[in-house]
Amino acid sequence: SMTDGDFPSDGITSISASAVPSMQQRDDAPSMNFDYLKYSFQSLSRQQSHDNLASLSQNKPEEVERRFHMPNEEGLQHLKNTSPVVSKKFHKVLIANRGEIAMRIMRTAHELGLKTVAIYAYEDRLSMHRYKADESFQIAPEGKHTPVGAYLAQDDIIDIAVKRNCDAVHPGYGFLSENAEFARKVEAAGLKWVGPRPETIDALGDKVKARAVANECGVPVVPGTDGPIEKLEDARAFCAEHGFPVIIKAAMGGGGRGMRVVRAAEDLDNAFERARSEALAAFGDGTVFIERFLDRPKHIEVQLLGDGRGSVVHLYERDCSVQRRHQKVVEIAPAPKLPVEVRDAILQDAVKIARHVNYRNAGTAEFLVDSRGHYFIEINPRIQVEHTVTEEVTGLDLISLQLHIAAGWTLPELHVAQDRIQIRGFAIQCRVTTEDPAQGFQPDTGKIEVYRSPGGNGVRLDGGSGFTGSIITPYYDSLLVKLTCSGATFEKA
């Protein structure tokens, strides 16, 4: 980081990082001027940075604002006056999740000066996320819920948030993040929901309803059932009409759960029942639908951001085509070797759908791309596991933006405009998990005896349970840490 002494005391040197939403600090933290400009100076020597910044600040202040995305004087004063850190209207957030994503949210919340509340199941009492929060509470007494069921216990979670005087609930990804009923209960309890409106989750979190929204917008979709499939007979009828292969998908949720590819009629019955039961166990809803299965398409998704008041932007695309068992394992931003005209069409369609529903907060529109075109498949109305690669290439803190939007900021107030969002280089994310290759890469459990982390320029770690001495239980996802590497080119990343 850079200190006040690193720059001449003129021009814009009086502006501290606390004025910028993605880099705000605790009230009692020292000012770290220009820390948020670090990416702009990576290719310059220190002396060049001094000279260039001093020259710009004296002669072309509007160029400083344009190049560094800095607010003008009026906008800066507005940020200071309306910041949730300064106004004290938004001071504590409960994270209704666990592991890596809970710690990721806490990190930004602490930078913003917010206090955090963690929750945990009895079986998860040794998890690192509970110790990273300012406060942590067991969701319910031992035995009341299953290890996973505890993180789905809506009333117990909201009760903790209310009793601990929280202002907001951030659901992370998975668990209750796409549950409109939970979002409604959070808002009914007088808390801010850090995510889309409940009615938007209803319209887009359900993949069947999302297809209908896409059809209203004229966005192409993969041929599939018009609505959910309740009976096996309906599944057989669809396959008889459209042929194989097909894919059975859970209407709610994601992450590859509740999803089965069927290539022959004799496999349909078993796949249908397994998809329904898995969806019910993972998301509390066994509703499924069927689509034609596209062999070896590219899986392209678009990061969206809206303020619910008319402003919607995209933060470009990610390529998530490297998957295993329908679960993403490697994500790249921006998508390499994607034709410009295809990219532009996908970005436009994603924004079109988000504007159609007056989208609020962060979300991701997902598409499949083959030689014949692109097809919308769903919108995930939440933060994604792979949001890190977008942050690395745009320089924007998505969690910070989520919290600010939930606190009532608009995108114009945050100085987030489409023409200001630029891609710099490439970023690649992979997931380090506890799996046993000798057992078909099944999740492994036990104590981590040795753990060594990578490091260096362009290396980012988003950790959860990855550390020496960590006890890995069989109850949760096997993810230990997300490794994100970035560079000026794809090869360097």
Side-chain angles (χ1 to χ4, degrees):
S1 63
M2 306 177 187
T3 64
D4 294 342
D6 289 332
F7 293 95
S9 57
D10 58 6
I12 59 173
T13 55
S14 62
I15 300 175
S16 70
S18 63
V20 178
S22 63
M23 293 297 293
Q24 286 172 326
Q25 309 158 56
R26 294 179 182 273
D27 293 339
D28 58 353
S31 172
M32 295 193 298
N33 293 353
F34 297 98
D35 187 53
Y36 62 94
L37 299 181
K38 59 185 177 181
Y39 295 112
S40 302
F41 297 110
Q42 283 181 344
S43 62
L44 300 174
S45 68
R46 175 168 291 189
Q47 186 58 49
Q48 287 174 318
S49 299
H50 289 180
D51 296 343
N52 290 353
L53 185 59
S55 175
L56 281 175
S57 62
Q58 291 174 357
N59 303 319
K60 295 183 178 181
E62 71 281 356
E63 178 67 10
V64 174
E65 179 184 351
R66 183 194 69 79
R67 185 175 299 184
F68 301 129
H69 293 196
M70 294 176 59
N72 56 28
E73 185 174 351
E74 179 182 355
L76 178 59
Q77 190 59 46
H78 177 73
L79 291 181
K80 289 181 178 179
N81 292 340
T82 59
S83 166
V85 178
V86 174
S87 68
K88 304 300 182 185
K89 294 179 181 178
F90 197 72
H91 71 281
K92 186 187 285 189
V93 58
L94 180 143
I95 296 99
N97 216 296
R98 65 174 302 279
E100 172 273 322
I101 188 58
M103 292 167 60
R104 166 69 188 92
I105 296 166
M106 290 172 195
R107 184 162 56 249
T108 287
H110 289 155
E111 288 177 359
L112 294 174
L114 303 176
K115 292 188 179 297
T116 57
V117 176
I119 57 173
Y120 61 93
Y122 173 79
E123 294 81 1
D124 212 15
R125 62 194 181 279
L126 299 180
S127 183
M128 177 64 77
H129 78 276
R130 69 167 287 199
Y131 300 104
K132 290 289 186 180
D134 296 292
E135 303 169 29
S136 64
F137 300 92
Q138 187 171 312
I139 298 168
E142 179 185 3
K144 180 178 179 181
H145 303 294
T146 65
V148 172
Y151 291 100
L152 300 174
Q154 301 181 26
D155 295 337
D156 289 338
I157 293 171
I158 293 173
D159 186 55
I160 293 173
V162 171
K163 287 181 177 178
R164 301 314 304 174
N165 297 315
C166 294
D167 301 294
V169 173
H170 195 308
Y173 55 71
F175 293 125
L176 294 168
S177 62
E178 298 182 52
N179 191 304
E181 179 188 4
F182 181 57
R184 288 191 183 93
K185 287 182 177 180
V186 167
E187 294 185 344
L191 305 167
K192 296 289 187 181
W193 170 254
V194 186
R197 298 183 182 90
E199 55 268 27
T200 304
I201 299 175
D202 269 334
L204 296 177
D206 183 320
K207 297 179 179 67
V208 176
K209 295 178 181 178
R211 286 171 58 90
V213 171
N215 286 326
E216 293 173 8
C217 297
V219 175
V221 298
V222 179
T225 55
D226 294 329
I229 295 291
E230 299 288 345
K231 301 177 181 178
L232 181 58
E233 291 74 18
D234 296 330
R236 290 171 179 164
F238 177 86
C239 295
E241 179 180 353
H242 295 277
F244 293 92
V246 299
I247 184 167
I248 304 171
K249 293 182 177 181
M252 304 296 294
R257 296 176 176 86
M259 188 179 294
R260 292 289 185 276
V261 175
V262 185
R263 299 183 181 275
E266 56 268 24
D267 300 325
L268 178 62
D269 294 15
N270 181 56
F272 181 80
E273 294 303 329
R274 290 185 65 184
R276 282 175 56 87
S277 61
E278 188 174 302
L280 182 62
F283 312 116
D285 188 329
T287 304
V288 299
F289 68 104
I290 301 180
E291 289 179 342
R292 283 296 308 273
F293 180 67
L294 304 179
D295 263 320
R296 301 181 65 82
K298 280 183 176 292
H299 188 129
I300 305 296
E301 62 185 31
V302 178
Q303 180 65 60
L304 295 166
L305 200 65
D307 57 18
R309 299 190 230 176
S311 295
V312 175
V313 296
H314 67 75
L315 278 67
Y316 293 90
E317 82 287 350
R318 302 184 285 255
D319 189 326
C320 305
S321 302
V322 181
Q323 302 185 12
R324 181 189 62 181
R325 297 193 288 267
H326 310 296
Q327 195 165 22
K328 304 164 190 172
V329 292
V330 176
E331 296 93 355
I332 307 167
K337 298 182 180 179
L338 186 66
V340 174
E341 62 276 10
V342 176
R343 172 182 287 112
D344 290 345
I346 290 174
L347 296 177
Q348 290 172 10
D349 282 348
V351 172
K352 187 187 300 182
I353 293 174
R355 284 194 174 133
H356 182 75
V357 298
N358 194 21
Y359 198 88
R360 184 188 75 187
N361 221 271
T364 301
E366 304 206 8
F367 296 82
L368 295 179
V369 181
D370 66 8
S371 58
R372 293 172 291 181
H374 67 278
Y375 309 92
F376 170 80
I377 51 175
E378 63 177 315
I379 281 189
N380 289 311
R382 53 175 169 80
I383 197 70
Q384 292 274 89
V385 179
E386 58 273 15
H387 73 276
T388 58
V389 291
T390 296
E391 290 183 330
E392 291 303 303
V393 298
T394 63
L396 295 173
D397 184 335
L398 286 169
I399 302 298
S400 174
L401 291 168
Q402 280 193 294
L403 291 168
H404 278 82
I405 291 170
W409 293 49
T410 66
L411 294 184
E413 288 171 343
L414 292 168
H415 293 266
V416 176
Q418 194 63 69
D419 60 357
R420 286 188 161 191
I421 301 171
Q422 300 176 0
I423 293 289
R424 297 179 178 88
F426 284 83
I428 305 171
Q429 176 188 277
C430 69
R431 311 178 190 195
V432 180
T433 61
T434 55
E435 296 181 355
D436 186 352
Q439 300 296 325
F441 292 94
Q442 292 299 308
D444 204 358
T445 60
K447 181 180 180 180
I448 297 179
E449 298 290 348
V450 178
Y451 180 86
R452 298 188 182 95
S453 294
N457 188 38
V459 176
R460 167 178 173 173
L461 299 174
D462 287 72
S465 303
F467 56 92
T468 300
S470 175
I471 305 297
I472 307 302
T473 69
Y475 307 115
Y476 306 104
D477 190 280
S478 59
L479 178 65
L480 288 180
V481 61
K482 298 186 309 193
L483 171 62
T484 306
C485 294
S486 57
T489 64
F490 177 75
E491 289 74 17
K492 289 183 178 180

